[in-house]
Amino acid sequence: MDLGIEKYIKRFNDYRVNELPRLQKLFDYYDNNQPILKKPNRTSDKNDTKIASGYPEYISTITTAYFIGKNIAYSADEDKEAAYKKIADYLATEEEQKTNYEIALNCSIFGKGYELLYIDETLKLKHKSLDPRDVFVIRDNTIDKNIIGAIRFGINKITSTEYEVTLAVYDNLNVTTYQYIATDPNFTAKDLDNAKTPISRPKPHGFNKVPIIEYSNNKNQKGDFENVITLIDAYNIAVSTSVDDLTDFSDAYLVLTNMGGTDENDIKQMKEDKVMLINDNGDAKWLIKQVNDTYSQNVKDRINNDIHKFSFTPDMTDEKFSGNTSGVALEFKLLPLEQLGSQKEMYFKESLNKRLQLIIDHVGADIKPIEIQKIFTRNLPKNIKEISEVMRNLSGIMSTESIISLFPNVEDAKKEIEKKKAEEEVEEYDEFFDKKQTEEELNEE
């Protein structure tokens, strides 16, 4: 479906004005470029303390690593094994693991992520995570909201007033590249005459659908720390103000009572001698700012707890995570994070099936995405002894493959079974050979 370059540019401009500022704000928080750093000073002769906390990066790092820090394991039933092998080379690779992690991290920061599948110059199928600030998709009006187009764009500043805008427009068959010159900060094409003609002929991208896939972090495409931004701002102010209070505390003033005749020379002499002579009815005392440190710390603790609570991210410095903790107890402590991970997994699988469908269509495999099992393993410290006991107790109740898949260090249970079987065959052969050799030696005697 060709919307025409005019409509593409209009949607691009709408995206730049209405969506991109939010995405850039979220990235700025993640990159520790937060509003507290631009807070005006209270006075012109002294710079206030401006501390930006690392909560956004902490939250996104913890949630992403917990959710997808380990490889996704794929498998298929025996009747689909031949078809599965056609696409197995594209799954559970180092490249795929890196792409999955980058997409999941973008989802955590921006609330959504994008992936591009493409055919490189060696005709090999590749995939790459895209920055959500550089791409957007166009959907149809059906109930499924299918992607019918996508734009990946780049902007180069030519002069102080001119920008070269490049739009790579994807439809179900081709990718077409356009360029135009913009002269305003919103990169609007005021004159479309120089944008209507592609800079190259439409090029088949090698797929039967738009090869850009959108991943959602949740139903509303919200980032993991987006709901606690106001709390992060409050924490930054509380910490910065506390440091300012300490600075003000050190800037104490000496108050001299009934000693109006004291001049600069007297003060200088006092500093050198470390002695002050006070007349009758005179007095000297320090004027200092009273700081309620307990109240200040309680406020920071409350905000810190709320940030972790409402972002579903545990505070790993909390005492409850110290010491020896059983696997079950640790899982209860991480229950909010697990609920978050389960939600992420649901939406990630939905988009993963779209990736698999594009790969399946490309290689011509007779298999459906839902027929490929996708096993997500949480990146969590495991009590190996507990797990081994559980595996031992399940012997004879569950299949060997299911039991072996419970072990955290095993990524592919089927391969592990094959390796074990091969070892047993070698052991049987060695035992048979040793027995035969012993019999021959006895016969010779």
Side-chain angles (χ1 to χ4, degrees), residues 257-385:
T257 305
N258 294 328
M259 296 180 66
T262 304
D263 56 22
E264 293 182 1
N265 291 329
D266 294 329
I267 295 174
K268 181 179 179 181
Q269 191 66 38
M270 176 193 68
K271 288 182 178 180
E272 292 178 358
D273 297 340
K274 306 298 181 183
V275 175
M276 181 185 297
L277 298 177
I278 300 177
N279 298 326
D280 293 340
N281 299 322
D283 190 16
K285 62 182 178 181
W286 289 105
L287 178 63
I288 61 175
K289 183 178 180 178
Q290 300 298 319
V291 178
N292 190 339
D293 186 61
T294 301
Y295 173 77
S296 176
Q297 189 59 45
N298 287 341
V299 170
K300 287 181 284 186
D301 289 343
R302 171 65 183 273
I303 297 173
N304 174 72
N305 292 335
D306 283 350
I307 289 173
H308 288 289
K309 176 180 178 181
F310 296 120
S311 66
F312 303 96
T313 310
D315 185 353
M316 294 302 181
T317 64
D318 195 293
E319 293 181 357
K320 65 184 179 181
F321 285 99
S322 62
N324 295 323
T325 305
S326 69
V328 175
L330 186 59
E331 288 178 359
F332 270 110
K333 292 174 182 177
L334 295 176
L335 184 60
L337 186 59
E338 176 56 32
Q339 305 307 311
L340 187 66
S342 297
Q343 177 181 245
K344 286 172 173 285
E345 181 178 325
M346 181 194 317
Y347 286 93
F348 205 90
K349 279 184 177 179
E350 181 181 6
S351 296
L352 208 57
N353 283 334
K354 295 176 182 178
R355 175 205 288 174
L356 291 172
Q357 188 63 63
L358 286 171
I359 297 175
I360 290 169
D361 292 342
H362 178 73
V363 302
D366 183 21
I367 192 172
K368 297 178 181 178
I370 59 174
E371 294 174 326
I372 300 174
Q373 286 80 50
K374 310 155 198 75
I375 302 172
F376 288 73
T377 304
R378 302 289 184 259
N379 192 11
L380 179 69
K382 297 291 185 180
N383 188 323
I384 302 299
K385 182 179 179 181

